[in-house]
């Protein structure tokens, strides 16, 4: 089976902002074909693999999201400065001044996310503002070295997406740990793929309908999963996610999986908590049970709208979130083990 880190490196290298995940979809569908699956891409940009075991086990939608936090162009000024706004939960202090790529219709354009010089006390400067106030993206600008007219000719306009530059889309390994931007949710896409590989290698068939959905636009409200559930109603939605260490859940950054008991949108059903407890006992897994006071997953966002009855979010521990995230190198494999155990337990009834 493919090593998780190999997949994660490949996945992180491909930009996929919300609403513009097509390059990653192409890569993923090619990989699914190589494994031996037929996939489809729906109108929202979700990549779907439908497996139907033909029996009456609960129907399941399994998601890991394709998209990453990004920026959107709001304005091009007369001097060529480009203004941006957040697309998903990206913060200025998580990215800093950084190389970025503008994904324009005329091709990818390199730029630098900039805030200006610090060597001034002028009230007109961004730095003086930042000394006294939280710094929003509206105070930043993109420098390209191109004029307003040149940018317009290349298709740069409001609404165009901006992603972190390729120079920073790399994975760092140190000791037992792996770090990168966008482990949320590329490491989970790797787990999603490895699960399908395992199904194929072992000839496993879930005794009911299960749809694997690599979901679009999760970072802006779980839009892809919500759309998929209107086409493929499911009793259970399992979201593969990250488990960010917080003051409320100060667990170690180890390989043990994280189980969300509640987030900002919905709580897991007590029944699924019991099933997962039984899975962990059978498999010798010691999970981290997480009450998340802020955030959501495809499963919980969909449950809050009545699109699934049973939201289940399974994750791996991370230090940092929506920034340069750190995980244990063995965490994806342990998350896969818990996810497969949960499917088998649900199938038993």
């Amino acid at each position: 089976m493919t090593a998780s880190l190999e997949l994660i490196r490949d996945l992180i290298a491909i930009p996929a902002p919300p609403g513009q995940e097509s390059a990653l979809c192409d890569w993923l569908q090619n990989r699914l074909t190589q494994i031996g699956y037929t996939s489809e891409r729906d109108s929202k940009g979700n990549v779907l693999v439908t497996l139907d075991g033909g029996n009456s086990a609960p129907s399941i939608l399994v998601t890991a999201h394709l998209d990453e936090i990004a920026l959107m162009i709001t304005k091009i000024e007369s001097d060529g400065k480009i203004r941006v706004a957040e697309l998903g939960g990206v913060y200025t202090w998580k990215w800093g001044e950084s190389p970025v790529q503008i994904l324009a219709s005329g091709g990818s354009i390199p730029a630098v996310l900039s805030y200006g010089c610090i060597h001034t006390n002028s009230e007109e400067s961004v730095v003086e503002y930042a000394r006294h106030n939280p710094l929003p993206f509206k105070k930043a600008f993109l420098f390209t070295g191109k004029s307003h007219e040149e940018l317009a000719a290349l298709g740069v306009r409001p609404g165009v997406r901006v992603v972190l530059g390729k120079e920073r889309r790399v994975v760092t390994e140190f000791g037992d740990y792996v770090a990168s931007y966008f482990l949320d949710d590329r490491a989970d896409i790797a787990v999603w793929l490895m699960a399908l590989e395992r199904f194929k290698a072992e000839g496993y068939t879930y005794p009911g309908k299960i749809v694997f959905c690599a979901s679009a636009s999760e970072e802006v409200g779980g839009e892809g999963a919500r759309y998929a559930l209107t086409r493929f109603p499911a009793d259970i939605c399992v979201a593969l996610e990250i488990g960010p260490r917080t003051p409320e859940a100060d667990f170690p950054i180890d390989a043990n999986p994280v189980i969300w008991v509640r987030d900002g949108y919905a709580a897991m059903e007590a029944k699924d908590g019991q099933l997962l407890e039984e899975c962990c006992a059978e498999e010798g897994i010691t999970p981290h049970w997480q009450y998340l006071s802020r955030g959501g997953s495809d499963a919980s966002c969909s449950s809050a709208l009545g699109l699934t009855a049973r939201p289940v979010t399974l994750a791996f521990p991370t230090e940092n979130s929506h920034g340069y995230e750190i995980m244990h190198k063995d965490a994806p494999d342990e998350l896969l083990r818990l996810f497969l155990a949960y499917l088998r337990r649900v199938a038993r009834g």
Side-chain angles (χ1 to χ4, degrees):
M1 194 168 79
T2 310
S4 61
L5 186 54
E6 176 188 334
L7 289 172
I8 290 167
R9 286 187 189 279
D10 289 343
L11 291 160
I12 285 171
I14 305 169
Q20 195 173 348
E21 300 97 340
S22 57
L24 188 53
C25 289
D26 291 342
W27 184 95
L28 187 58
Q29 288 193 280
N30 181 60
R31 190 69 177 229
L32 288 165
T33 299
Q34 292 174 15
I35 297 170
Y37 288 102
T38 298
S39 64
E40 67 167 300
R41 193 182 312 186
D42 65 20
S43 298
K44 184 63 180 174
N46 299 312
V47 173
L48 303 138
V49 176
T50 302
L51 307 173
D52 196 341
N55 293 321
S56 58
S59 55
I60 302 177
L61 185 83
V62 182
T63 77
H65 67 83
L66 295 159
D67 62 319
E68 64 197 58
I69 53 175
L71 300 172
M72 178 180 281
I73 293 175
T74 60
K75 180 183 179 182
I76 300 95
E77 296 183 348
S78 58
D79 61 358
K81 282 184 179 178
I82 298 170
R83 300 296 177 176
V84 294
E86 305 92 327
L87 194 58
V90 58
Y91 292 87
T92 53
W93 46 276
K94 289 283 188 174
W95 278 19
E97 289 180 328
S98 175
V100 295
Q101 291 175 271
I102 302 169
L103 303 183
S105 58
S108 177
I109 302 167
V112 175
L113 178 64
S114 304
Y115 301 92
C117 181
I118 68 165
H119 294 88
T120 178
N121 291 321
S122 169
E123 293 183 358
E124 297 177 8
S125 69
V126 173
V127 67
E128 184 63 18
Y129 179 92
R131 288 181 181 125
H132 307 284
N133 304 279
L135 183 61
F137 270 108
K138 67 182 180 181
K139 293 290 186 180
F141 64 93
L142 304 187
F143 178 90
T144 66
K146 298 184 184 297
S147 68
H148 185 282
E149 292 74 22
E150 288 173 320
L151 291 168
L154 290 169
V156 178
R157 55 164 175 76
V160 168
R161 273 68 168 169
V162 179
V163 297
L164 203 61
K166 62 183 179 181
E167 301 88 343
R168 297 183 74 178
R169 308 181 76 90
V170 295
V171 175
T172 301
E173 295 178 70
F174 54 107
D176 289 333
Y177 300 97
V178 173
S180 182
Y181 291 99
F182 315 127
L183 293 179
D184 175 12
D185 210 29
R186 304 302 165 75
D188 292 293
I189 288 284
V191 173
W192 185 96
L193 267 172
M194 291 191 300
L196 285 166
E197 280 189 349
R198 184 72 63 83
F199 276 26
K200 188 67 71 173
E202 297 180 357
Y204 176 76
T205 301
Y206 176 75
K209 187 171 185 178
I210 182 167
V211 177
F212 279 74
C213 172
S215 59
S217 297
E218 187 273 350
E219 294 288 7
V220 289
E223 293 177 2
R226 287 156 54 184
Y227 179 77
L229 283 162
T230 64
R231 295 185 60 216
F232 302 100
D235 301 313
I236 303 170
C237 181
V238 178
L240 302 176
E241 265 290 352
I242 66 165
R245 181 158 67 175
T246 66
E248 301 97 328
D250 191 20
F251 42 68
I253 304 304
D254 58 20
N256 293 319
V258 174
I259 301 169
W260 291 15
V261 298
R262 183 177 176 85
D263 61 24
Y265 291 86
M268 181 174 61
E269 295 289 304
K271 176 179 181 178
D272 288 303
Q274 181 62 40
L275 292 178
L276 285 161
E277 198 173 315
E278 293 168 8
C279 288
C280 291
E282 291 172 2
E283 295 291 324
I285 295 170
T286 305
H288 305 296
W289 299 88
Q290 181 165 35
Y291 185 102
L292 198 64
S293 60
R294 179 184 172 92
S297 72
D298 278 336
S300 63
C301 289
S302 298
S303 176
L305 294 172
L307 295 173
T308 189
R310 294 163 59 182
V312 174
T313 302
L314 306 178
F316 57 86
T318 60
E319 187 69 79
N320 306 333
S321 63
H322 285 210
Y324 204 73
E325 296 145 357
I326 306 166
M327 71 175 188
H328 193 282
K329 63 182 177 59
D330 297 327
D333 295 301
E334 288 301 293
L335 175 56
L336 175 63
R337 192 157 72 95
L338 176 59
F339 168 61
L340 294 176
Y342 174 71
L343 289 186
R344 291 192 294 269
R345 186 62 189 83
V346 171
R348 294 208 309 261

